[in-house]
Amino acid sequence: MAETAAKVQPVMQPPAFTNPWSEGWRSFRSNKMAMAGLFIILFFIGAAIAAPLITTFDYKEQDLMGRLQAPGGTHWFGTDDLGRDIFTRIMYGARISLWVGFSSVMGSILIGTLLGIAAGYYGRWADMLISRGFDILLAFPGILLAIAIVAALGPSLQNALLAIAVVNVPVFGRLVRAKVLSLKNEEYITAARALGMKNGRIILHHILPNCLGPVIVQGTLGVATAIIEAAALGFLGLGAQPPEPEWGKMLSDSRQFIATAPWTVIFPGLSIMLTVLGFNLMGDGLRDVLDPKLKN
């Protein structure tokens, strides 16, 4: 009996299934800087949604008798040169900046991904035409190209959004093209072709899912870039028009009061800085989670 028991081998247990989403969230949550970025973004999103509940003022309401008041109990961030409550305008301005950032990047991702896949997968003349188009757009500094587009179409928030989306299309397009070029010669793609799978199905089921990681990371960082570009266009008077409380326009209107009323510049500037910082920190955290080369 003892010899029989000694010969009994332990039963091998199958490896436990690990959910990649929960594993990714666990890895992201362990990154304190990425969590700080996520907290900042959620804070501004919450402020934008709850703006009517947080403040009792109207962002267009003027009080010329109370212009340039310092921060206090009634006006937490003070008032501007027209007596408007800066805290209220910051809260409502978050709606504009976040909407421009997310909308322009989504448009850039959609168009850039489609063009990048077409250029990388089909190659030849499609790759040549699309890549030369990307090179032409990238030959111009991004903000100058955005200014040119808005100047041609006319100053407005919608035209600024369109210009920012066009400027960022080559960034996503070249990223996806490079990823597709490295994927289309993989063995599982060759096997899919050998089994008779059509190009559209290969792209949808094999190419596109493997491109999502870099696109998500670049998209998060692209939102930060879009917010800065929107603020720059607003600062130049080419973005949101008065009385819309766009942060860049608020900075432009407050330039002459830097010495006498610095709070009119400090709070819009801090809002831009913190929002961009939040997206950059979260983008770095997502890169660490989604890039397999960076995993231990």
Side-chain angles (χ1 to χ4, degrees):
M1 293 295 292
E3 294 180 358
T4 304
K7 294 180 180 179
V8 175
Q9 299 294 328
V11 178
M12 298 297 294
Q13 296 294 332
F17 174 75
T18 303
N19 188 338
W21 292 103
S22 60
E23 182 182 357
W25 168 246
R26 191 181 305 110
S27 176
F28 182 86
R29 190 174 55 187
S30 64
N31 189 330
K32 295 182 179 180
M33 299 304 293
M35 289 300 295
L38 178 61
F39 175 79
I40 293 172
I41 294 170
L42 293 178
F43 172 79
F44 278 99
I45 292 176
I49 295 173
L53 303 177
I54 297 175
T55 177
T56 57
F57 294 97
D58 185 350
Y59 70 85
K60 296 181 290 186
E61 181 182 352
Q62 299 182 13
D63 180 14
L64 298 180
M65 298 298 294
R67 60 192 301 270
L68 298 179
Q69 288 186 10
T74 303
H75 301 285
W76 294 350
F77 289 178
T79 60
D80 62 8
D81 59 313
L82 296 177
R84 297 172 296 192
D85 184 66
I86 295 178
F87 176 77
T88 301
R89 292 178 64 78
I90 292 292
M91 295 297 101
Y92 281 93
R95 294 182 172 186
I96 296 176
S97 294
L98 292 174
W99 178 70
V100 170
F102 284 119
S103 300
S104 61
V105 168
M106 288 302 296
S108 300
I109 288 176
L110 178 62
I111 299 174
T113 299
L114 292 176
L115 293 177
I117 289 177
Y121 188 80
Y122 293 103
R124 298 183 179 180
W125 62 268
D127 187 16
M128 183 186 67
L129 290 177
I130 294 172
S131 296
R132 296 297 78 77
F134 289 161
D135 292 340
I136 291 173
L137 292 177
L138 290 172
F140 298 93
I143 188 61
L144 292 182
L145 180 58
I147 291 173
I149 294 174
V150 176
L153 299 177
S156 70
L157 184 61
Q158 289 73 20
N159 291 338
L161 189 155
L162 176 62
I164 295 170
V166 170
V167 166
N168 289 308
V169 163
V171 176
F172 293 97
R174 296 187 72 174
L175 176 67
V176 172
R177 174 183 176 273
K179 187 67 176 178
V180 172
L181 287 175
S182 66
L183 289 174
K184 70 176 185 179
N185 294 322
E186 293 287 341
E187 293 182 359
Y188 65 90
I189 300 295
T190 305
R193 292 197 188 100
L195 292 174
M197 188 176 292
K198 297 184 180 298
N199 288 332
R201 191 175 177 187
I202 293 175
I203 292 173
L204 185 62
H205 291 277
H206 297 292
I207 299 293
L208 184 59
N210 286 287
C211 293
L212 291 181
V215 169
I216 291 173
V217 174
Q218 184 60 43
T220 306
L221 300 173
V223 174
T225 303
I227 291 175
I228 293 178
E229 291 173 344
L233 292 174
F235 186 87
L236 297 173
L238 299 175
Q241 300 300 302
E244 295 299 321
E246 199 275 323
W247 292 339
K249 182 62 177 173
M250 292 174 66
L251 285 176
S252 177
D253 295 339
S254 303
R255 283 178 298 172
Q256 55 184 320
F257 306 110
I258 293 177
T260 58
W263 57 87
T264 60
V265 177
I266 290 174
F267 292 112
L270 281 176
S271 300
I272 296 172
M273 184 199 73
L274 288 175
T275 307
V276 172
L277 176 64
F279 279 104
N280 284 334
L281 291 177
M282 192 175 76
D284 289 339
L286 288 174
R287 181 196 60 192
D288 295 342
V289 171
L290 297 176
D291 190 347
K293 296 179 181 179
L294 299 177
K295 293 182 179 180
N296 295 328

